[in-house]
Amino acid sequence: MTNGKLEHVNITVSDPQRSAALLRDLFGWHIRWEGPSMSDGHTIHIGTDDDYIALYTNQEVRADDPMFNKGEPMNHIGVTVDDLDAVEAKVIAAGLEPFNHGDYAPGRRFYFFDWNGIEWEVVSYN
């Protein structure tokens, strides 16, 4: 039997520097790699030593493009944290709006949309 482990998720964003700064601030992640990528684009890999989010953009990506609306089939990206309240305060300080708070077994959680319409779920099992 082979056990798989998620290594990364690749998402398109309008401003990878801004998105990377938010993820670094919220989750304590670091930039693992940054450089040119396909279609004359630019990518930042941000995460831990074991896994990461790839933030991709190119000159055709615009924040006002309808392709950035929350879409199918991806619903959200979930991240676990130790201190849910501290992360929520940082989300608010970034000008983003937490919603759909849930305090139920086995943990507490909230959601927010980033500037690209990507939905994030932040959950704590502490």
Side-chain angles (χ1 to χ4, degrees):
M1 181 161 117
T2 302
N3 292 321
K5 181 181 178 206
L6 183 66
E7 183 211 17
H8 75 274
V9 175
N10 187 316
I11 57 178
T12 298
V13 298
S14 57
D15 184 342
Q17 297 293 339
R18 176 176 65 174
S19 293
L22 177 68
L23 298 176
R24 182 176 47 242
D25 187 42
L26 295 181
F27 307 129
W29 293 348
H30 63 274
I31 293 176
R32 297 169 34 132
W33 177 84
E34 178 176 359
S37 56
M38 63 180 238
S39 301
D40 203 23
H42 186 82
T43 298
I44 298 174
H45 291 180
I46 185 162
T48 69
D49 291 339
D50 297 320
D51 42 50
Y52 63 95
I53 303 286
L55 306 170
Y56 169 79
T57 197
N58 66 36
Q59 292 186 10
E60 295 180 19
V61 173
R62 297 184 335 268
D64 63 347
D65 189 317
M67 71 179 258
F68 287 101
N69 293 336
K70 181 181 174 193
E72 297 173 7
M74 187 177 87
N75 293 315
H76 61 260
I77 299 171
V79 179
T80 59
V81 298
D82 293 329
D83 188 340
L84 191 69
D85 296 328
V87 173
E88 183 173 9
K90 291 178 181 183
V91 167
I92 294 167
L96 302 169
E97 185 176 337
F99 65 93
N100 200 18
H101 294 77
D103 296 342
Y104 48 85
R108 298 173 52 225
R109 66 196 72 234
F110 71 88
Y111 298 79
F112 71 94
F113 285 101
D114 70 10
W115 303 283
N116 300 289
I118 297 167
E119 185 176 66
W120 295 83
E121 176 186 7
V122 184
V123 63
S124 176
Y125 295 112
N126 292 336

